[in-house]
Amino acid sequence: MLTLGPAANLHLINIDVSPTLVWSPNGQRLAFVSGDTDIYTVNADGSQLTKQFAGDACKAANFAIAWFSNSQKLLFARSCDSFTSDTPGSQSVYTSDASGIKGTKLVRNLQVGEYPPKTEISSEFYLSPDGQQVAFVKDKNIYKMNADGSGMTKLTKSPGEYISGGSQLVWSPDRTKIAFLFGAYPKQQIYTINADGTNLKNLTNNPQNEVYNVKIFWFPDSSSIACYYNKPRDSVGEKQDIYLLDINPDKAKNLTQKPTIYNEISWSPDGQLIAFVAGKFTHQKLYTINADGNQLNQLATRL
């Protein structure tokens, strides 16, 4: 439950268990998902609570939200049961001038899923941090388009398994690169490609490694990536370590050297520290570690 301040007349809004909650670039407004259906914005002081989108219920609903750099517009995507049933789901992307439901416009609504496959795209929509562009997988290639649906461009040169195993397309903070897992699952490698389709690069180059439960987190200045992935022959992802992957020159460093289950990595704004959760679900603890791998500090037991 999210409780807003007096200026919002004590409105109580139910938010889903893992809410999508995004600050505007100027720090004055928040956008968030309520339940599985609606998107709201609110000022940081609790005033001007505004519904931007009211959707109908759908199975396995999932949202992504990005603010435009001017803090005046939103780009958001909604996924409905894309991959878990025999009936088709949908991927939809919208723009909003943040003035309310009348200012929200559907840009694209594409079918995905179904068995046998009759899909228009084969992934969710992945939004650039500035809300200007959208990346997705179509015909086993990575594509991008502008927020208004124009300029659809194929970035990769040959078809392949770009998001198998539950991986994602992850935009760099400066919007110039996209990171992703590539290869036949589970023997996948971490790659990057420039947002204009140039400079496809393999950062891990370990064909024997099998990845499970891998996530990618960009360094704030877009020069490197923190990720956790498992040791060889760990088929359930319980013997992982956090690695730092430099883009130029491309090299990898094992930061933790303490195989366990990792989750929820977050970079400090200055890029000096990495915070993360480690341990099995019932024994998770919160840590920080320096970006050079030194000074591992336990902050708290996660209750």
Side-chain angles (χ1 to χ4, degrees), residues 122-159:
S122 53
S123 78
E124 297 182 5
F125 287 123
Y126 300 98
L127 313 182
S128 65
D130 62 353
Q132 297 291 324
Q133 295 184 309
V134 182
F136 54 93
V137 176
K138 179 183 185 313
D139 301 327
K140 292 190 174 182
N141 273 288
I142 297 176
Y143 283 73
K144 72 170 184 180
M145 67 181 180
N146 297 326
D148 62 4
S150 67
M152 186 179 295
T153 305
K154 185 171 72 170
L155 301 184
T156 49
K157 306 302 182 185
S158 58

Side-chain angles (χ1 to χ4, degrees), residues 174-209:
D174 65 4
R175 292 92 63 196
T176 64
K177 302 178 185 67
I178 300 171
F180 53 93
L181 290 172
F182 173 70
Y185 183 79
K187 292 189 175 181
Q188 295 176 299
Q189 307 297 313
I190 296 177
Y191 280 74
T192 59
I193 192 170
N194 289 349
D196 62 3
T198 62
N199 199 26
L200 178 67
K201 181 180 291 188
N202 181 347
L203 299 185
T204 47
N205 196 26
N206 183 3
Q208 301 306 313
N209 193 42

